[in-house]
Amino acid sequence: MWRQRRRTRRRSSRVRAREDWASDLWHGFGAAENGAKAAKAAKVSASASTSSTPSLQLLFEAAISQLKTSRRVQTIVTLAVGLLVIRAATRNRDAAYLTDLGVSHGVLTPRFSPRRQEYVLEIPEDLMQLTLRPVPKYESAVVSVGSVQDDPSADSNVTIMMSRPSSVTSTRTEKLLRIVVRSQKQQQQHERTYTVRVKRALPLPVGSMDVGVFGRPKQGSGVEGGRYYLGEDAFFAGSRRSREMRSSKSIAAEGQVDEKGLFFYSFLPQASSIGVADGVGGWKEMGVDPGEYSKSLMEVAANEMIGAQQPVRPEEALKQAQTAEETQVPGTCTATVLDIDQKRMLLRAANLGDSGYIVFRNGKEVCRSQAQLHQFNMPYQLGSLEIEPDSNTAEDADLYTTPVREGDVVVLATDGLFDNVSNMRIGKLVQSGIERNFDPVQIAELLVDEAYRNSFASTANTPWALAMTKEVVPRWKRVLGTGIRGGKRDDITVMVGIVRSDFL
């Protein structure tokens, strides 16, 4: 009896709760209807006043004052009325806006959006006329364009005359434009204003490289004819801007000697073209200096790239150098030539043989060339086709194009570096030099010293030793751990270029 009475009491309380909720909801709907009527009345009274847009606060107060129901329903109805009020207000603003804003020249940032009202337009530095093409939502809308200090024109396609700057500097010429959209809807006048700040873009950056070179010939190189013999390798670095050049021939008398032997170095700021070549040592057996052809090839290629009125691509420079009169001598060599497209910040390269280059950015490898080999230890070689008709030609070179940025590090070297130091180790040494604020010559010296040590180390696990192991050691022995150790003694020439972007 007691339990039955308790269950009846619980059931009755649930029924009463449902009835109370239904009653509250019914009264809430009535309050919402009254609130909507009050909002509409407030909207009409506001439109008749001096203000063209009804106040959101006034609409909310008129609606909320009608709500006399429970807290639960009051919350629901408040949200509903708020949505109605916001919709009423945005409907007025939607009457006057643009769906698109076209420009004849330049880049508009950020991307156009009907709700966004402030923009920046960057135009070419020598532009004199600019046309804006605003597109309103309604054809009946009136669009006027003009500078802020002037009276807006009534024409929707206005050509804005830009004043020419007397000189191009980092201070840009600016013009602030105002686009006013006016539209009438439901006997109300709507208006929206867009502003466009027109700026002349800065001149395009001119890319270049601060280049340092460091090299050590093999032991046995020394003084010949009163000049230091710098080995079989050759290099050049040139600047189209300053018309300066450094090459193996120009510094042949500037070699120096330390406890490790002969070395040489050089530095050229704002270089636009660099190259290295490695003479094939087999020509010594025929009584021919292997370094003569490589040095002549680099000298002619440098003159082609630096002396031309228009930039010359690396493969074209190699082609001209191979057929030039100065290179019709016995000898062959590998060659890698790089040139930076100064306006587009692109590094163009032509690589033939087993010399090569690597581009590092923030310590990570971005791009590197691949060695070209006929077979193991027999790289592609350039030579005079009249003397050595079986040699390769410039058309056989691999071509590369790499976008570069300010601060990128370009390492260009002969195989004396790549045979004795792994690419990963090269990247770590380059990053170490950057962190220690080394200049390009010091970074190049860091790499050369590492390669030089490994070339004499009988237990070093160098790229040359790994390649030899793969070539001469049977696979089953390699599986058991048998392998060749040590480095390769060779001329080592390393060029390091740090990319810079300047403004003329």
Side-chain angles (χ1 to χ4, degrees), residues 93-94 96-97 114-115 117 179-181 190-194:
R93 293 205 305 267
D94 288 347
Y97 71 90
R115 306 297 181 192
Q117 296 178 258
I179 305 173
V180 181
V181 186
H190 308 292
E191 181 178 306
R192 175 174 293 194
T193 301
Y194 297 85

Side-chain angles (χ1 to χ4, degrees), residues 180-197:
V180 181
V181 186
R182 296 185 179 89
S183 178
Q184 188 168 357
K185 186 178 180 183
Q186 296 181 355
Q187 298 181 350
Q188 294 185 22
Q189 186 73 23
H190 308 292
E191 181 178 306
R192 175 174 293 194
T193 301
Y194 297 85
T195 57
V196 179
R197 186 175 298 278

